[in-house]
Amino acid sequence: MTTLDTQTTDRYRTRVADRPALVERVEPTVHGGVDAPGLLGRDELAAHDRDGFVTVPELLTASEVATYSAELDRLATDPTVRADERTVVEKSSQQVRSIFEVHRISEAVAALVADERVAGRARQILGSDVYVHQSRINYKPGFGGGGFYWHSDFETWHAEDGMPAPRAVSTSIALTENFTHNGCLMIMPGSHRTFVSCVGETPAEHYRESLREQEIGTPDPDSLTTLADRHGIAMLTGPAGSATLFDSNCMHGSGSNITPYSRSNIFVVFNSVENALVEPFAAPAPRPSYIAAREFTPV
Ligand code: 6CS
Ligand code: FE
């Protein structure tokens, strides 16, 4: 494991001050450089470097979408899965909101995670071997699937999981059509280059609340307004089978879904093996390993 560059990790101090700060990121976004060999072309890597995200219009075939959709339905209705601590239900209903560590629960999802079309693109962006930091299904069911307020994943993973630097990438794979109206992912393009520190100490076992509705670790309105004015807001729509890869520090969120049409996505977070977790930077104790893996074997 590389020695930690404390000058880097100290840059991302959060939840310790009484006022937020905007810190410019020092790490590159595409660690392997925009000419890195792999499935993403140079233009796509350049777009990812510029915006903090890149879309893949057809990651899965129609038959694969059908296979994984059936798997998601099976998991959501399996009583043992529903009773599992890795399953989070909506605040407003007993509908399944998320299932974490789904690549260890489902063999089909495990194969998808290891697929070159998924893990290979993450290696290309991160410029190293990768391991799964977190996987989850977000169901966002129709008629009330809850949203996710603005946040940087890296801010949470740094503060609560001990992720040293923003050298991780999420792959969101749509299994239902993601429309503007049913709670699609919203990202501020380019916001990944600014780290927004948050105010408010992390409570013990914060994840029991934050995975249902996050309050601590969410940026203040002034910082959000500054970033939105600077970058705008992109709506990541796309058909079932499409995917979005986005940098761990993108400012992103998604609205609630009051339409009849669920917005069900599989999310896999790959972390560089050179960025393995240490102790949390701003929390009393690490989160459970089903939310933040503590075993770093490369995919
Ligand atoms: O805390 C986390 O790790 C989770 N929370 C959000 C809102 N996005 C990333 C991840 O799923
Ligand atoms: Fe997130």
Side-chain angles (χ1 to χ4, degrees), residues 9-40:
T9 52
D10 286 350
R11 285 182 71 80
Y12 303 122
R13 288 172 59 76
T14 186
R15 306 186 192 183
V16 291
D18 59 1
R19 68 180 64 83
L22 300 185
V23 174
E24 288 316 301
R25 167 197 190 127
V26 292
E27 294 79 10
T29 308
V30 179
H31 288 256
V34 294
D35 293 310
L39 292 174
L40 293 165

Side-chain angles (χ1 to χ4, degrees), residues 152-186:
S152 153
D153 291 337
F154 172 65
E155 191 279 340
T156 295
W157 297 339
H158 183 71
E160 299 188 53
D161 301 335
M163 184 182 282
R167 189 174 177 184
V169 63
S170 291
T171 302
S172 168
I173 303 171
L175 289 177
T176 60
E177 178 127 17
N178 284 215
F179 300 102
T180 50
H181 52 58
N182 69 339
C184 72
L185 186 60
M186 299 186 285

